[in-house]
């Protein structure tokens, strides 16, 4: 346990005091932290308090000859399993997003070959500013993992997103990233596509047709596959869930956008279609809000959406070797699942009865329907279904 070490970059924000607690929580969990304290960070917490908790030297100045003699910035950036920036200020995010390297923290972020996790902390207006949002999306695309920011009251008296995630939550994410690496890696080098959540089909700029899918099962499957080493592209409709760690997450709205994002993810070794894709969409989406008129409610003509599972199953040369679909049924689950398997042309159907509280809930009871037969799994947490399914996918792909 004690050889687990992270590099913690403490930026200049009022939330810096929370990083002290983070260091203690990590130490309790057997993860040592080495700290870089930025100049602004040192206005909020002292090198002495940080160093007492890390039981190590605190690195601060890029041009310090003694620092460079002990551990150069390149070495520093590679001496840890993970680089965690907490608090990640707007300034640190901007530098990292643009490759600016003019102090120890930013130089280290540019030089590192290790995964980077950021816990943003700033005033709500700064967080929502287009420049910060641009930097945030750029960093996401660069593979940076974000924890928070949380919503709530801020030290500056305002309210909204921008509060640094609680140290307990940051610590949990760090430990999760260790779990991800510790578990065996039977899917290393494999690419898997996962769809999740509902789709949203616009009627006009303010109204839409959708469904109650929470995305929990699909997100859990994506995370479980990534834990087994797969490169996972998760294409999700609108859900209130954070991007799973180590997963390439693509957010879409409509079924047609979901199909396009899936096709752009091919070739893949496997595809798991968990999304509750809306079967129909309004034939036309009005450009302006539909107004109430004297003629009563407007008729809504629907047209069929593309079937993503069927399209992937019939993708010819690009067809993933294993295509898994889900079947959400309220009656005759097995019979419907079998006919879906044949109709869609996929290899397995994971079928569940959604007449109870499965949609939005945390547990599920499924059966796996294959051409070779039906396998019933007991009632279990969605995360457990995800783990077992990921393991079966790994076996099917030849490990
Ligand atoms: N699916 C899809 N694209 C669609 C509809 C469904 O990819 N347009 C996928 C789902 O992700 C799931 C499977 O097909 O893996 C079955 O979805 P389900 O809604 O249960 O089936 P439907 O095709 O809607 O069939 P039915 O209306 O008969 O239940």
């Amino acid at each position: 346990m004690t050889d687990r070490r992270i590099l913690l970059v403490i930026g200049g924000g009022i939330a810096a005091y929370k990083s002290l607690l983070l260091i203690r929580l990590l130490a309790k969990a057997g993860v040592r932290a080495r700290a870089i304290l930025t100049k602004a960070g040192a206005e909020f917490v002292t090198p002495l308090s940080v160093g007492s908790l890390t039981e190590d030297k605190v690195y601060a100045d890029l041009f310090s000859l003694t620092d460079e003699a002990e551990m150069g910035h390149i070495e520093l950036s590679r001496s840890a399993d993970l680089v965690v920036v907490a608090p990640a200020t707007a300034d640190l995010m901007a530098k990292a997003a643009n490759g600016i390297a003019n102090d120890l923290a930013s130089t280290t972020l540019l030089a590192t070959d290790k995964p980077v996790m950021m816990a943003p902390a700033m005033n709500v207006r700064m967080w929502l500013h287009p420049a910060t949002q641009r930097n945030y999306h750029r960093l996401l695309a660069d593979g940076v993992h974000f924890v928070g920011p949380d919503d709530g009251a801020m030290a500056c008296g305002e309210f909204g997103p921008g509060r640094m995630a609680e140290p307990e939550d940051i610590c949990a994410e760090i430990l999760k990233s260790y779990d991800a690496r510790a578990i065996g890696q039977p899917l290393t080098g494999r690419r898997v596509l996962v769809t999740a959540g509902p789709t949203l089909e616009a009627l006009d700029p303010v109204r839409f047709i959708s469904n109650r899918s929470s995305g929990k099962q699909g997100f859990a499957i994506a995370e479980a596959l990534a834990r087994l080493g797969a490169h996972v592209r998760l294409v999700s409709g609108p859900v209130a869930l954070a991007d799973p760690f180590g997963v390439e997450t693509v957010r879409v709205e409509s079924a047609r956008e979901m199909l396009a994002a899936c096709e752009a993810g091919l070739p893949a070794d496997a595809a798991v279609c968990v999304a509750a894709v809306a079967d129909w969409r309004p034939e036309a989406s009005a450009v302006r809000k539909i107004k109430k008129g004297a003629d009563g409610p407007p008729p809504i003509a629907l047209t069929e959406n593309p079937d993503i599972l069927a399209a992937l199953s019939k993708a010819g040369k690009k067809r993933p070797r294993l295509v898994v679909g889900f079947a959400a049924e309220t009656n005759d689950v097995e019979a419907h699942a079998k006919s879906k398997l044949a109709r869609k042309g996929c290899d397995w159907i994971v079928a569940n009865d959604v007449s109870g509280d499965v949609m939005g809930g945390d547990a599920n009871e499924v059966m796996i329907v294959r051409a070779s037969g039906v396998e019933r799994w007991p009632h279990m947490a969605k995360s457990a279904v995800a783990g077992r399914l990921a393991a079966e996918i790994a076996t099917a792909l030849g490990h």
Side-chain angles (χ1 to χ4, degrees):
M1 287 286 269
T2 41
D3 56 352
R4 292 177 164 195
R5 185 193 279 280
I6 64 142
L7 179 66
L8 177 65
V9 178
I10 305 177
I14 187 76
Y17 76 93
K18 291 193 193 173
S19 301
L20 300 180
L21 184 55
L22 175 63
I23 297 169
R24 290 189 54 191
L25 290 170
L26 286 168
K28 267 196 216 153
V31 180
R32 290 200 293 163
R34 176 171 277 148
I36 291 180
L37 184 60
T38 66
K39 207 167 158 217
E43 300 285 336
F44 293 90
V45 291
T46 68
L48 189 61
S49 48
V50 175
S52 309
L53 289 166
T54 59
E55 297 176 10
D56 198 349
K57 181 180 161 49
V58 177
Y59 293 81
D61 185 358
L62 177 58
F63 304 108
S64 153
L65 280 176
T66 34
D67 278 7
E68 285 292 312
E70 279 174 34
M71 181 173 289
H73 63 280
I74 302 287
E75 203 185 327
L76 190 57
S77 73
R78 296 179 183 183
S79 65
D81 309 309
L82 176 74
V83 181
V84 179
V85 188
T89 57
D91 174 65
L92 272 173
M93 282 178 60
K95 282 182 185 169
N98 293 287
I100 294 170
N102 60 0
D103 58 13
L104 183 59
S106 54
T107 309
T108 304
L109 285 170
L110 198 60
T112 192
D113 57 356
K114 295 292 160 40
V116 176
M117 189 182 284
M118 290 191 173
M122 65 196 75
N123 167 276
V124 54
R125 287 167 215 279
M126 290 171 75
W127 172 253
L128 294 175
H129 192 282
T132 305
Q133 287 299 307
R134 200 161 52 235
N135 293 333
Y136 168 59
H137 288 287
R138 191 175 281 183
L139 289 166
L140 276 177
D142 287 349
V144 172
H145 182 67
F146 280 85
V147 194
D150 290 350
D151 250 49
M154 310 192 134
C156 54
E158 291 192 70
F159 196 88
R163 271 171 65 95
M164 187 167 95
E166 293 305 324
E168 289 79 6
D169 295 333
I170 303 173
C171 181
E173 280 297 301
I174 292 170
L175 295 179
K176 250 201 240 173
S177 84
Y178 275 104
D179 287 349
R181 273 168 278 176
I183 296 174
Q185 302 281 301
L187 286 174
T188 300
R190 307 283 188 195
R191 294 178 64 88
V192 186
L193 199 59
V194 179
T195 69
T199 64
L200 185 155
E201 313 294 336
L203 265 164
D204 70 13
V206 295
R207 303 183 181 94
F208 57 82
I209 296 174
S210 191
N211 60 63
R212 293 184 191 280
S213 169
S214 64
K216 284 182 186 168
Q217 185 66 82
F219 273 54
I221 290 169
E223 200 167 347
L225 289 162
R227 261 206 302 273
L228 296 188
H231 175 106
V232 182
R233 182 183 179 91
L234 170 65
V235 183
S236 176
V239 292
L241 298 173
D243 292 2
F245 188 78
V247 169
E248 180 196 358
T249 307
V250 183
R251 307 269 178 173
V252 297
E253 282 204 342
S254 67
R256 285 180 294 175
E257 286 168 12
M258 188 172 272
L259 176 63
C262 285
E263 284 172 344
L266 293 177
D269 297 285
V272 189
C273 294
V274 197
V277 182
D279 289 319
W280 308 283
R281 67 173 183 275
E283 206 164 62
S285 166
V287 182
R288 294 189 177 167
K289 185 181 166 197
I290 303 167
K291 301 295 286 180
K292 246 191 327 233
D295 306 339
I300 299 172
L302 297 174
T303 184
E304 196 155 332
N305 261 331
D307 189 316
I308 298 163
L309 175 62
L312 292 172
S313 299
K314 293 166 191 157
K317 272 193 191 152
K318 285 196 168 175
R319 185 194 196 276
R321 213 151 34 93
L322 179 70
V323 182
V324 181
F326 268 64
E329 309 292 351
T330 52
N331 55 290
D332 303 316
V333 179
E334 189 176 327
H336 282 312
K338 281 182 174 160
S339 84
K340 240 167 231 181
L341 186 74
R343 187 155 40 90
K344 307 246 182 179
C346 57
D347 303 296
W348 306 349
I349 285 277
V350 182
N352 57 3
D353 187 336
V354 291
S355 52
D357 57 0
V358 168
M359 278 193 150
D362 290 317
N364 209 351
E365 188 172 330
V366 303
M367 65 174 86
I368 313 295
V369 180
R370 302 179 173 95
S372 56
V374 178
E375 198 183 309
R376 285 169 201 281
W377 290 2
H379 184 84
M380 48 187 168
K382 285 184 175 174
S383 56
V385 171
R388 188 158 162 187
L389 188 65
E392 297 237 353
I393 290 171
T395 309
L397 290 180
H399 279 276

